[in-house]
Amino acid sequence: MSARRAAQPSAQARRISNPSAAGIDMDSEFNRVDVAYARIKELVTHYELTSESKIILPGEHLRIDELADYVRASATPVRQALERLHGEGLIDIVPKRGFFSRVPDAAELQDLYEFARLVLAHNLRKALEPSSAVRFGRSAMRMAALPPANSARNRAKHYAAAIEGVFEQIAQISRNEEMLRMIKNFNDRSRYIRCLVISRDADPDSELRDCLDIADGVRSQNAARACARLEAHMHRTIANLPELIREARSRWAIAAAAG
């Protein structure tokens, strides 16, 4: 084989290095994975509280073919979405069996809440420029002022999203992308418990008020007040985790029996 011929890339190599030339729409490929990821994530972080037509309960086998039918995609983007969810700690992999939804555990959730509490309190103690503090407060109020949900389930999801938004704003105070990523992951992994707390509370607005009080403390540059509200909010949930998990198991059993 001549040196000139050896230097020529094969047709296959050219297709791999230039997907567009091979007729592969990379934007569409990535979009299919993102859509599958978002829809499956909704199912595995809300369980029976999802607003989707399909329900996935904790410990359930996540069958790629069934999920592909549900999200109207091929097996490849669904598998990639599941691998991404596993990498984020939102689902499990059992060797030689496949992917499974996670079973929430009170001890693990307590560790997550304690970690998030420390990270968020650390950021709340950082000084903010007055203009940044005002923008923080306004942004939190806008999130809470979205149109009211049309059901208790949707209201819980709306309030949970607003609370998570406040947590993410606090994480951004440090301008540390890794810290923000960790708080987003905490939000994802604790979302079901957050929705459950709101949906079972006699005063469901109280959870949202806590976070708006935290945001108001940031806006008024009162770090002590913001930290105190954060501590109270987190400790209340941590103390109730065993009871919340017991109630969750009853709900899952009822949902499983209903088919």
Side-chain angles (χ1 to χ4, degrees), residues 132-258:
S132 298
V134 170
R135 284 198 300 273
F136 184 106
R138 287 175 178 170
S139 179
M141 293 302 294
R142 281 198 300 271
M143 286 187 291
L146 291 172
N150 55 11
S151 69
R153 178 180 297 176
N154 288 337
R155 178 179 61 184
K157 291 178 67 175
H158 161 65
Y159 283 1
I163 292 167
E164 291 170 10
V166 171
F167 289 165
E168 289 173 19
Q169 278 193 296
I170 296 171
Q172 290 181 68
I173 290 174
S174 67
R175 298 182 181 179
N176 183 316
E177 288 299 318
E178 181 62 16
M179 190 174 289
L180 175 60
R181 184 195 66 78
M182 290 188 291
I183 290 301
K184 285 182 174 181
N185 185 253
F186 160 73
N187 283 341
D188 289 339
R189 295 172 69 177
S190 59
R191 183 165 299 133
Y192 175 81
I193 288 296
R194 188 169 299 108
C195 289
L196 182 58
V197 167
I198 295 166
S199 65
R200 72 196 287 270
D201 200 322
D203 179 14
D205 293 354
S206 64
E207 295 294 311
L208 182 61
R209 284 199 302 271
D210 276 353
C211 284
L212 291 180
D213 282 347
I214 295 169
D216 192 58
V218 175
R219 182 192 59 77
S220 60
Q221 297 189 299
N222 187 336
R225 175 187 166 191
C227 285
R229 297 305 297 171
L230 173 70
E231 293 282 342
H233 178 86
M234 291 296 204
H235 279 305
R236 185 170 61 248
T237 302
I238 290 170
N240 289 330
L241 279 172
E243 179 187 347
L244 288 165
I245 292 297
R246 284 195 296 272
E247 178 175 337
R249 287 173 179 157
S250 296
R251 296 170 69 104
W252 300 332
I254 293 170

Side-chain angles (χ1 to χ4, degrees), residues 46-66:
H46 288 96
Y47 304 122
E48 86 285 355
L49 296 178
T50 183
S51 55
E52 296 279 324
S53 59
K54 181 179 178 64
I55 292 177
I56 288 178
L57 295 175
E60 188 170 328
H61 192 180
L62 304 175
R63 302 182 187 279
I64 292 176
D65 54 345
E66 293 178 3

Side-chain angles (χ1 to χ4, degrees), residues 11-24 26:
Q12 181 181 9
R14 287 195 297 272
R15 286 195 296 271
I16 292 172
S17 63
N18 187 0
S20 297
I24 300 173
M26 294 305 291

Side-chain angles (χ1 to χ4, degrees), residues 39-94:
R39 294 199 65 190
I40 298 170
K41 182 178 178 180
E42 160 72 20
L43 299 176
V44 300
T45 56
H46 288 96
Y47 304 122
E48 86 285 355
L49 296 178
T50 183
S51 55
E52 296 279 324
S53 59
K54 181 179 178 64
I55 292 177
I56 288 178
L57 295 175
E60 188 170 328
H61 192 180
L62 304 175
R63 302 182 187 279
I64 292 176
D65 54 345
E66 293 178 3
L67 290 170
D69 287 342
Y70 183 71
V71 303
R72 297 182 180 180
S74 65
T76 298
V78 169
R79 179 179 291 278
Q80 290 174 345
L82 291 171
E83 289 171 348
R84 180 173 165 188
L85 290 165
H86 175 254
E88 295 173 358
L90 298 177
I91 63 174
D92 291 326
I93 290 181
V94 177

